[in-house]
Amino acid sequence: MVADVTDENSSAETFPCRVCGGLVRQWFDFGPQPISNAFYRDGDAVAGIRYDLVVGICRSCTMVQQRDECPRESMFRPDYPYRASGSALMRKHFEQVAEWLLATELAGPDPFIVEIGSNDGVMLRTIRGAGVRHLGVDPSRDAAEVAAAEGVRVRVDFFEESTAASIRAAEGPADVIYSANVISHIPYVDTILRGVAELLSPTGVFMFEDRYLGDIVAHSSFDQLYDEHFYLFAARSVQAMVAQFGLELVDVAHLDVHGGSVRYTVARAGVRTPSPAVRDLLARESRQGLAEMATYERFADRIVAIREDLVTLLRELRAEGKQVVGYGATSKSATVTNYCGIGPDLVPYVCDSTPEKQGRLSPGSGIPVRSQDEFSRPYPDYALLFAWNHAEEIMAKEREFSERGGRWILYVPTVHVV
Ligand code: SAM
Ligand code: TMP
Ligand code: ZN
């Protein structure tokens, strides 16, 4: 355990750590927030759910985490609308991950890989194409049906200890357990890690990638905080977390996707030698002050300033008679719109390429979601880019908008217009 979160003599709010049982010190309260992927139609019950988005850092294990948990059945419903293959960038990313796994960890005789949160099968379809034994586990039925239509094997279920036990009994141990943008979503991470420890072969690896705390702090990307990002992982907190389950962090790799992520590789303790990358990232986190409360106090000030600047800009543009439209009905946009109080009066609609989101209303804010094609009918004066992690792909696709004088509004690391 570590204990250098400098919060002595503080009267700040605290709550118990979901990972180590220590004391978490609160550093931001975004107020009541909706389920970030609850794109709704009038009358949908899920639209009314609210929880308090309160964030803190554990004094003992340094895990950054939320205080309140949303019911998992409300978040990951059978019709959960997010599609992992919704951008060319992510399709390419997961294809590369699969090819790399096939060439390395899955190169032995009759390998077996399990993916937690396989969604529409964007990663596993390459694995299936290579004829390698695999199983996706995901509770989102509609997304799993897309995967199954491509020949990917999926169990429609929540992964936890009991699921892991039944998979092991039926199919044997896994050489690789892989998961992208899922593990940090799961408050009940203890049963996940017990399941991993049960399912993993003696020399197997558990690899998971998630948004990286270091990038979020460095870029002030506060919109990465929403119901699904219950934890914000860093090497230090992940190392402490997995150690409780007889596992060891043996490698880390920084990834440029989703505004900055890290892939953590975990093995049974003592089986693999940790790579120098682990030591290097831990050292960098110390230099960045990721375990220090002062870092989060400064981050909190930047969040408040972004809200002020963004709302001021949108109100000024409205007063000038300019039209601003949202681009990318992301989960991240739920925090921006609801924390900043941005509704259809400031942003009348948001364009998004996901059919499952179109024709629905954005969680909390009620901003309608329209198709990407409607962006040009007619072009607005400004586009508020909620999907800033896909800026390159979107700006290339919408070059004509810029050529005709349209401007993009971005709000991280600060509010700016390009
Ligand atoms: N892996 C994809 C990616 O990186 O784009 C999908 C990520 S999506 C944000 C999270 C996915 O995790 C959803 O498809 C959700 O249904 C799934 N999920 C949530 N809790 C889960 C659990 N306990 N076991 C398996 N999948 C889970
Ligand atoms: P993400 O940030 O969670 O990956 O979500 C990106 C959202 O942006 C998703 O709803 C799809 C949408 N999107 C578009 O509408 N057009 C695009 O060109 C891209 C890349 C994404
Ligand atoms: Zn802790």
Side-chain angles (χ1 to χ4, degrees), residues 1 16-24 57-63 65 244:
M1 285 297 131
C17 175
R18 287 294 298 248
V19 175
C20 78
L23 216 55
V24 177
I57 177 167
C58 177
R59 292 172 56 175
S60 302
C61 74
T62 73
M63 183 65 81
Q65 62 197 274
Q244 295 182 40

Side-chain angles (χ1 to χ4, degrees), residues 5 73 92 110-111 121 141 189 209 221 223 235 248 373 407:
V5 175
E73 289 77 11
K92 184 162 167 241
D110 188 28
R141 181 204 56 208
V189 71
E209 46 186 83
S221 40
D223 55 342
E248 186 176 14
D373 301 342
R407 315 278 305 270

Side-chain angles (χ1 to χ4, degrees), residues 34-44 46-48 50 77 81 329-330 333-334 337-338 343-344 347-350 352 354-370:
I35 304 278
S36 65
N37 263 295
F39 292 90
Y40 67 98
R41 294 201 180 91
D42 278 332
D44 286 353
V46 75
R50 292 290 179 279
R77 306 173 309 280
T330 55
S333 70
T337 54
N338 290 286
V347 177
Y349 57 93
V350 55
D352 193 283
T354 317
E356 288 79 2
K357 296 180 183 177
Q358 295 161 6
R360 294 178 177 247
L361 302 170
S362 302
S365 69
I367 298 174
V369 184
R370 297 194 186 167

Side-chain angles (χ1 to χ4, degrees), residues 57 62 64 212-214 217 234 285-286 288-292 295-296:
I57 177 167
T62 73
V64 171
Y212 180 53
L213 174 66
V217 171
E285 290 175 1
S286 290
Q288 198 186 349
L290 283 191
E292 288 157 30
T295 300
Y296 299 93

Side-chain angles (χ1 to χ4, degrees), residues 271-403:
V271 170
R272 297 198 185 197
T273 308
S275 79
V278 176
R279 186 196 54 216
D280 293 350
L281 190 57
L282 289 168
R284 211 172 92 184
E285 290 175 1
S286 290
R287 289 196 299 276
Q288 198 186 349
L290 283 191
E292 288 157 30
M293 196 60 194
T295 300
Y296 299 93
E297 282 162 358
R298 289 193 297 269
F299 186 13
D301 291 343
R302 297 197 297 275
I303 297 173
V304 173
I306 290 173
R307 170 165 75 170
E308 176 75 28
D309 293 348
L310 182 58
V311 172
T312 301
L313 174 64
L314 294 176
R315 287 192 182 139
E316 281 171 5
L317 292 173
R318 183 178 57 186
E320 290 169 19
K322 305 286 189 202
Q323 191 178 44
V324 183
V325 157
Y327 204 109
T330 55
S331 330
K332 296 187 288 292
S333 70
T335 299
V336 180
T337 54
N338 290 286
Y339 167 64
C340 300
I342 298 169
D345 55 327
L346 290 172
V347 177
Y349 57 93
V350 55
C351 295
D352 193 283
S353 58
T354 317
E356 288 79 2
K357 296 180 183 177
Q358 295 161 6
R360 294 178 177 247
L361 302 170
S362 302
S365 69
I367 298 174
V369 184
R370 297 194 186 167
S371 78
Q372 212 173 236
D373 301 342
E374 290 192 48
F375 185 57
S376 58
R377 300 186 202 146
Y379 282 121
D381 301 300
Y382 290 80
L384 177 54
L385 187 56
F386 291 121
W388 51 262
N389 46 320
H390 301 292
E392 211 177 308
E393 187 174 337
I394 290 172
M395 287 182 185
K397 195 182 287 177
E398 303 292 359
R399 205 171 28 233
E400 199 183 331
F401 166 63
S402 306
E403 284 168 1

Side-chain angles (χ1 to χ4, degrees), residues 76 80 84 94 117 119 137-140 158-159 180-182 185-186 188:
F76 304 112
Y80 178 71
F94 288 121
N119 196 267
V137 183
D138 198 306
S140 298
F158 286 95
F159 183 93
N181 307 302
V182 181
H185 297 39
I186 300 184
Y188 52 97

